[in-house]
Structures are given as structure tokens and as C-alpha cells.
Amino acid sequence: MQVILIGLAGALGAVARYMLGHFMTHLLGSNFPYGTLIINVSGSFFIGLVFALTTHHLLSPGLQLILATGFLGGYTTFSTMSWESVQLARGNARLSVLYLGATTLFGLLAVAAGIASGWWL
């Protein structure tokens, strides 16, 4: 049953990723992958929060698997970030480095903020 729930959560995460990415492209254009950046940074925040809440026994390990492996696994996307970085580098290497740096830095800060938020709750 847990495998089915992880799969369903992963499907919901993928749909959420698609919808947010599509919305951000519509809102901000396609010259820079804002959608993927926002998705990966927000996913980093939420995975930090999920693990902190699990550590404090506010979430069960089973729910952690469903949320982190399932939903957030489907929601965040390393492969798309990698592909977009290569595409940016083909036209503007500095923009590609900015994207990779921003994703990494903000992702790490977001995980830390998620953990801190979970400890605060």
C-alpha cells in the first residue's frame, strides 16, 4: 500500500511541477528557467521541513516517505535543471552559471530554512 501511495504522491508532485512551471513561463517568459528554479528551491525548503517534522515526531516515517520520496521526488527536477543549464550555456554561459549557482545556493538556504521552520514548530 505504501508503494502505491508514494506513486500517487509522485504523480501529484509531477502535475504540480508542470502546472507551476507552465504558470511561471506564462508570467515571466521563457528566457530564463524561473519555473524550475522556484520549483527546486521550494522543494528544497519543503524537504527540509518534512525531515525536521519527522525528527520531532510530528510526521510519521511513512508519511515522510510519501511526501519526500513521492510528492517532492515528482515535484523537484534535477534532470530538467541540468538540461536547462546546458541550453543556457549554448547561448549565454554566464547566465547558465548564474542559474546553477542560484539553484544551488538558494536550494541549500531553503533546506536550512525548512529545517529551522520544522524545529521552530
Side-chain angles (χ1 to χ4, degrees), residues 10 22 77 80 96:
H22 181 72
T77 173
T80 299
S96 178

Side-chain angles (χ1 to χ4, degrees), residues 1 7-8 13 15 20 24 30 37-39 43 56 58 69 72 75 77 81-83 86 95 99-101 104 106 120:
M1 183 59 160
L8 290 173
V15 170
L20 181 57
M24 295 309 297
S30 61
L37 177 63
I38 291 167
I39 288 162
H56 284 322
L58 297 172
T69 304
L72 293 172
Y75 177 70
T77 173
M81 181 200 66
S82 299
W83 180 80
V86 169
L95 197 56
Y99 176 54
L100 285 170
T104 303
F106 293 138
W120 182 75

Side-chain angles (χ1 to χ4, degrees), residues 33-46:
Y34 294 105
T36 305
L37 177 63
I38 291 167
I39 288 162
N40 285 337
V41 171
S42 63
S44 295
F45 172 82
F46 287 116

Side-chain angles (χ1 to χ4, degrees), residues 36-109:
T36 305
L37 177 63
I38 291 167
I39 288 162
N40 285 337
V41 171
S42 63
S44 295
F45 172 82
F46 287 116
I47 202 165
L49 180 62
V50 165
F51 278 91
L53 293 176
T54 304
T55 300
H56 284 322
H57 306 289
L58 297 172
L59 292 178
S60 70
L63 187 54
Q64 173 191 322
L65 273 174
I66 292 165
L67 293 174
T69 304
F71 184 82
L72 293 172
Y75 177 70
T76 58
T77 173
F78 184 82
S79 58
T80 299
M81 181 200 66
S82 299
W83 180 80
E84 289 170 343
S85 296
V86 169
Q87 295 307 308
L88 283 173
R90 293 173 71 196
N92 186 337
R94 289 165 63 190
L95 197 56
S96 178
V97 170
L98 173 68
Y99 176 54
L100 285 170
T103 299
T104 303
L105 176 64
F106 293 138
L108 291 170
L109 291 172

